[in-house]
Amino acid sequence: MGLLTNPTSRATIVGSITRHNNKICFLCYVVGLSWFLALAYQELNAGTYFSENALLPGLVRSQFYGDSEAEGYYSQLKSELNKDKNIMPVKWIYNQFMDLGLDVYIHNFTFRYPLKIFGEKQIPGQNVYAIMRASRAASTEALVLTVPFRTVTTVMDKTHGGLALMLTMANHFRKSSYWAKDIIFVVTEHEYIGMQAWLDAYHETKSELISSNSLEGHGGSIQAAINLEVPTNKISSFDFRLEGLNGQLPNLDLFNLVVRISRQEGFDVLLKEQHDPYHPETFEGYLQNLKTMFLMMWTQAPGSANNNHGVFLKYNIEALTLVGKKEKGKHAQGYGPMGRTVEGIFRSLNNLLERFHQSFFFYLLPSTSRYVSIGLYMPPFAIMVAGSLIKAVAMWISCTETVEEGVSTEKEKKETDQANGESVQKNEVKDHKEEKEEERKGLLSVIPILFITQLFGLLAYFSPDFFVDLGMPLHLHVAEAVHYGMLALFLSSLAMPRFLKRSLSEKSRPDWKLLKCVSLIVQGLVLFSIALMNISLAFFLAAVMVPVCVAMWPSNNRVVQILHASFLLLISPFLLLYITVVANQMMTEKVADVASLLVQSWDHMKTPLILGMVESQLLGSWTYCVICLGIFPNWLAFWCLIWIGS
Amino acid sequence: IAYFSQIILMIADDMACNPRNPRPAMVFNNANEQINVYGHDVEVDYRGYEVTVENFIRVMTGRLPPSTPRSKRLLSDDRSNILVYMTGHGGDGFLKFQDAEEISSIELADAFEQMWQKQRYHEVLFIIDTCQAESMYQKLYSPNILGVASSRVGEDSLSHHVDSAIGVYVIDRYTYYALEFLEKVTPESKKTLSQFLKVCPKSACVSTVGVRTDLFQRDPKKVLVTDFFGSVRNVELSPYTVTLNDTGDTGDSTASDRETCSADSCAPKKKIQRKKMSYVDQFPVEQFLKRR
């Protein structure tokens, strides 16, 4: 393009961008944000469809009519659970599978919680798994049906109905000869930790803190997995959980399959406990879709493995969770339709010759029948972050111009942009050498600040264990120790600009424009990298950080400084977490008044903090690492920026 | 007694013995599961990965390695009528063989021409049931070929119905109606090819059935269906004996063994001896009957 290679016109474009950069940045951010939110509207996204034709969903007539068997299993299970309310009836489950004639094994594993929660104790666990071999196939592939065992006294939703359903399905499946893959039934203890232990043993990988015995019985390579969390024997609808570790999602075809089969059997389909709007083309319909999409992003952003299915995704095994719900006023169905749903799903999965590869792996769902693909959500996100990159370019240009102004005095009085462009060229030719020296000094001076902020990030990443050790003689609970320890670290990082001012002389202090430019570029890099994997986290971070960071500059006016500082504090990782918890409390529970809300949120803040650290060590989740080593240093650089002064 | 059928069957996917088939070793023509088309007399000559474009063209042109058994050869001569039926996934100008290859309409046309040059067929009925099937016979240029396609270029051929006990679509529309017609054809039937060509109107097939008759020299109205189906062999009666010369041919087709002749010796060596034939005397049943 002649426009960009021609130095004069390039200088004009660059000049006009620099002049109007504030307006352009603001426009980019607003356009990007509103476009992203508008994607939930029906006209702007697409309807879900089956890409993998081999699935042939719902074409085969179900042959499951074992309701009474399932009810029998359910009542037996309940009486078994009432004998001892706190343990998993491993022997009973083992015997049931044994009676059916399947290869059943008990898998022992132990794990240690990180951060010395429960001390150095190794917590034991047992999974029970049974393999139904395909009678005419070579056992090269397998499908998994899993139920996380929860005791009667659990605070989470119960899963006993699902366990009885699994036993019934095992009985039904083994009577048929049309299976081309082995079906493995797994009952896990300790939720996804048990599942991770089982998967580790199956694939012979090793986790740091989970040690599991090798498996006695083995199947083929797992193609797909379904996790059942059905509380009782009567449900009216199915809710689906897709988000897994690090925000990974299963293939959209698996979701389409499960939705289609559930609908066929007469169940209501929910996503994030929201129904599909009846009139999606209206404004109310749009708001409902936006709410569902927002809730999905809210769950995806932390990157936690929410249910058993979340840990499968790491192994390239498509998995999702079916949660049974009984809604008031809706007609509830029993084990007949439930069994036929599971049977239908497995028969379709049985048809597959290849792993899921046709449909999308990156998407957002405004409802169960609409999707927003990566091709639709990346442009608005890119435009949002482009604002900060344009600001970075503007900062760079003005930085080099001020350098030249310092060198040649006569040219600095020119007013027109055209002349500016020319003068930039002429100065480049004349004072090339001196300019370079100035620039080089400028860039080098930014490095100490960035290095120290990165050190703070490293400190934050490795500190939890230190805080736990520190808190033990003070008899602080682990959660409290870590919470207050992180608070202490955060507050100490706030003091960094003060030390910088003292230690760095005027000459070695960097030009604030240069620092802002580099920080904005790093921010753009980090946000785009996160967006490739976990768009929700990147979107939420970009939505709050980009406008604030772009508009930061150091000033001598006290009021302006305080204003900047407060805005920047609001988006600091620590306070952002607090605000997130407040928002979560508001969404999930009814709160009496503002004060109690704030206090409760402060208490509840420990949970995501600890969970992030625990999961990063136990399962290999990246969120904590990314926040500590990517977001926090970047934020700290901006914090230094506003206090350094011009 | 070892015998082989004059049918070459090439099936790439083993559907009958696929573990997903709830009726093992059986393939039915419709959802009512009336006729098992994969019965005891079905012999699959080329299966699985043997079904390649190369093998197909070798079978057609006869260029097979000497070790190929007779059951895998076409063994046709210049008096043979050949029925070629192809089905599967296809598009404009190609038909898919395995996941990695396809046969083009031009390759097929050249294969037929090689057969014509080598006098390996008298007439060919070419039936093809794929999407955009017409494109496969558009490039044919050898004489005596009648082409029937289940859909025109730009149209898809559709499946007929689902067998919900198995969970797949069991038969395609054109094949279903063609089979329905042919089930009623007996070896003595006088049905003509033109009736066969009309077998699937657009109301039944949804796609338009295409026919190519310009290469076929006879009028389809006068050609019997049994000329191509039912292995009905026409017998030519001759009241005279025919003496076969002993050419010393051991079965090798290499050029060195073939006799060459010069201008003098190319004349026929012997006169053909003709002896009038008559019926053998009947078995004298009356004598035996009378005796009793």
Side-chain angles (χ1 to χ4, degrees), chain A residues 202-391:
Chain A
Y202 198 88
H203 293 98
E204 294 179 16
T205 53
K206 283 205 184 315
S207 285
E208 261 181 62
L209 299 166
I210 306 175
S211 60
S212 47
N213 294 357
S214 54
L215 291 182
E216 292 162 23
H218 216 268
S221 85
I222 303 176
Q223 305 290 298
I226 301 282
N227 183 34
L228 280 180
E229 290 183 15
V230 178
T232 57
N233 55 349
K234 289 228 181 300
I235 57 168
S236 67
S237 23
F238 273 122
D239 191 4
F240 306 105
R241 307 264 166 84
L242 302 161
E243 306 81 8
L245 197 62
N246 298 326
Q248 205 174 348
L249 299 168
N251 196 297
L252 191 57
D253 264 341
L254 184 59
F255 176 69
N256 293 341
L257 172 70
V258 172
V259 165
R260 162 87 67 100
I261 306 264
S262 309
R263 268 215 191 103
Q264 211 173 18
E265 291 299 331
F267 289 108
D268 267 341
V269 287
L270 309 171
L271 190 60
K272 299 275 156 261
E273 298 171 23
Q274 308 289 317
H275 285 269
D276 291 351
Y278 286 116
H279 299 288
E281 65 279 357
T282 61
F283 187 65
E284 286 78 26
Y286 164 68
L287 285 180
Q288 204 170 340
N289 278 344
L290 184 62
K291 186 175 176 191
T292 312
M293 190 169 102
F294 176 77
L295 285 172
M296 179 182 169
M297 293 175 74
W298 194 252
T299 323
Q300 192 189 12
S304 154
N306 301 296
N307 301 83
N308 273 12
H309 72 277
V311 291
F312 277 97
L313 296 167
K314 204 165 52 175
Y315 295 91
N316 200 19
I317 301 170
E318 312 306 327
L320 48 74
T321 296
L322 274 80
V323 178
K325 288 213 176 311
K326 170 124 183 31
E327 293 180 294
K328 284 202 186 71
K330 299 259 179 194
H331 169 61
Q333 306 191 76
Y335 277 123
M338 271 199 261
R340 285 192 282 279
T341 310
V342 176
E343 184 199 4
I345 295 172
F346 272 84
R347 283 206 80 170
S348 281
L349 290 175
N350 186 38
N351 285 341
L352 291 176
L353 293 170
E354 306 153 310
R355 285 177 183 273
F356 280 101
H357 64 282
Q358 300 272 19
S359 192
F360 297 95
F361 290 97
F362 297 100
Y363 50 89
L364 292 171
L365 296 171
S367 76
T368 58
S369 54
R370 312 287 304 179
Y371 74 100
V372 178
S373 72
I374 184 168
L376 284 177
Y377 69 58
M378 267 312 202
F381 177 78
I383 291 179
M384 254 171 75
V385 182
S388 74
L389 293 177
I390 290 175
K391 191 71 174 174

Side-chain angles (χ1 to χ4, degrees), chain B residues 263-274:
Chain B
D264 315 324
S265 58
C266 275
K269 290 203 174 119
K270 290 184 215 166
K271 275 194 99 165
I272 298 171
Q273 295 234 339
R274 284 170 170 248

Side-chain angles (χ1 to χ4, degrees), chain A residues 1-10:
Chain A
M1 281 170 63
L3 212 55
L4 290 178
T5 51
N6 184 356
T8 339
S9 51
R10 181 175 59 193

Side-chain angles (χ1 to χ4, degrees), chain B residues 5-22:
Chain B
S5 62
Q6 285 280 8
I7 303 175
I8 306 277
L9 186 54
M10 301 175 91
I11 299 185
D13 282 330
D14 187 5
M15 279 304 146
C17 297
N18 193 321
R20 296 167 181 81
N21 186 2

Side-chain angles (χ1 to χ4, degrees), chain B residues 47-101:
Chain B
R47 58 178 75 240
Y49 288 116
E50 286 177 329
V51 179
T52 56
V53 175
E54 181 189 341
N55 280 347
F56 173 67
I57 296 186
R58 281 187 186 279
V59 164
M60 297 282 271
T61 55
R63 295 180 201 283
L64 290 160
S67 56
T68 318
R70 287 176 73 83
S71 62
K72 282 183 156 177
R73 292 174 187 262
L74 190 52
L75 299 174
S76 59
D77 57 17
D78 65 322
R79 299 300 302 158
S80 313
N81 288 350
I82 304 183
L83 164 70
V84 180
Y85 173 82
M86 300 176 80
T87 183
H89 283 296
D92 193 356
F94 68 91
L95 185 139
K96 177 183 165 190
F97 262 64
Q98 301 280 357
D99 270 336
E101 61 174 3

Side-chain angles (χ1 to χ4, degrees), chain A residues 60-61 136 177-178 180 350 352, chain B residues 18-21 24 164 167-169:
Chain A
V60 67
R61 191 172 49 229
R136 288 187 283 146
S177 66
Y178 46 65
N350 186 38
L352 291 176
Chain B
N18 193 321
R20 296 167 181 81
N21 186 2
S164 50
V168 289
Y169 285 93

Side-chain angles (χ1 to χ4, degrees), chain B residues 129-131 150 156-160 171-174 205-207:
Chain B
D129 188 357
T130 66
C131 295
S150 62
D156 287 338
S157 289
L158 303 171
S159 302
H160 192 252
I171 192 166
D172 294 334
R173 284 180 180 260
Y174 180 76
C205 255
V206 184
S207 55

Side-chain angles (χ1 to χ4, degrees), chain A residues 344-595:
Chain A
I345 295 172
F346 272 84
R347 283 206 80 170
S348 281
L349 290 175
N350 186 38
N351 285 341
L352 291 176
L353 293 170
E354 306 153 310
R355 285 177 183 273
F356 280 101
H357 64 282
Q358 300 272 19
S359 192
F360 297 95
F361 290 97
F362 297 100
Y363 50 89
L364 292 171
L365 296 171
S367 76
T368 58
S369 54
R370 312 287 304 179
Y371 74 100
V372 178
S373 72
I374 184 168
L376 284 177
Y377 69 58
M378 267 312 202
F381 177 78
I383 291 179
M384 254 171 75
V385 182
S388 74
L389 293 177
I390 290 175
K391 191 71 174 174
V393 167
M395 288 287 114
W396 177 259
I397 298 299
S398 61
C399 189
T400 51
E401 278 177 7
T402 42
V403 163
E404 283 137 33
E405 279 178 16
V407 171
S408 78
T409 47
E410 30 189 56
K411 310 281 186 204
E412 77 191 37
K413 266 114 191 174
K414 292 249 168 72
E415 271 156 346
T416 57
D417 276 316
Q418 191 64 264
N420 249 348
E422 283 176 3
S423 75
V424 163
Q425 285 176 64
K426 284 182 195 161
N427 283 332
E428 275 176 20
V429 169
K430 259 194 203 174
D431 312 304
H432 194 65
K433 209 178 168 193
E434 293 177 34
E435 192 186 305
K436 263 205 164 177
E437 279 181 19
E438 290 283 338
E439 271 184 45
R440 236 182 275 134
K441 207 160 75 161
L443 266 179
L444 274 182
S445 64
V446 169
I447 290 180
I449 296 191
L450 293 180
F451 184 67
I452 297 176
T453 57
Q454 206 61 44
L455 271 182
F456 262 106
L458 272 171
L459 268 178
Y461 185 61
F462 289 113
S463 64
D465 288 308
F466 171 72
F467 288 132
V468 167
D469 287 336
L470 203 58
M472 278 212 280
L474 300 172
H475 295 290
L476 274 178
H477 188 245
V478 166
E480 282 177 12
V482 171
H483 191 194
Y484 289 108
M486 299 308 285
L487 179 64
L489 183 67
F490 175 64
L491 290 174
S492 67
S493 69
L494 293 183
M496 181 179 156
R498 201 176 181 81
F499 291 108
L500 270 181
K501 260 192 181 164
R502 270 199 218 149
S503 51
L504 291 175
S505 60
E506 268 292 336
K507 213 181 168 201
S508 57
R509 213 176 287 172
D511 187 3
W512 70 266
K513 288 186 182 169
L514 207 54
L515 179 61
K516 184 167 176 182
C517 170
V518 175
S519 301
L520 281 172
I521 290 177
V522 170
Q523 187 179 71
L525 255 176
V526 169
L527 287 175
F528 271 116
S529 311
I530 301 176
L532 287 176
M533 189 66 193
N534 192 343
I535 180 65
S536 311
L537 182 62
F539 173 75
F540 286 128
L541 286 174
V544 294
M545 290 188 81
V546 163
V548 175
C549 292
V550 161
M552 289 288 123
W553 78 90
S555 105
N556 286 326
N557 186 345
R558 204 73 188 147
V559 175
V560 175
Q561 261 188 341
I562 301 288
L563 204 65
H564 281 175
S566 45
F567 270 120
L568 207 54
L569 271 177
L570 272 179
I571 64 155
S572 66
F574 196 79
L575 245 74
L576 210 53
L577 183 61
Y578 179 64
I579 293 172
T580 313
V581 174
V582 169
N584 204 23
Q585 288 287 99
M586 279 166 57
M587 284 197 292
T588 51
E589 294 170 20
K590 296 272 179 258
V591 204
D593 57 298
V594 181

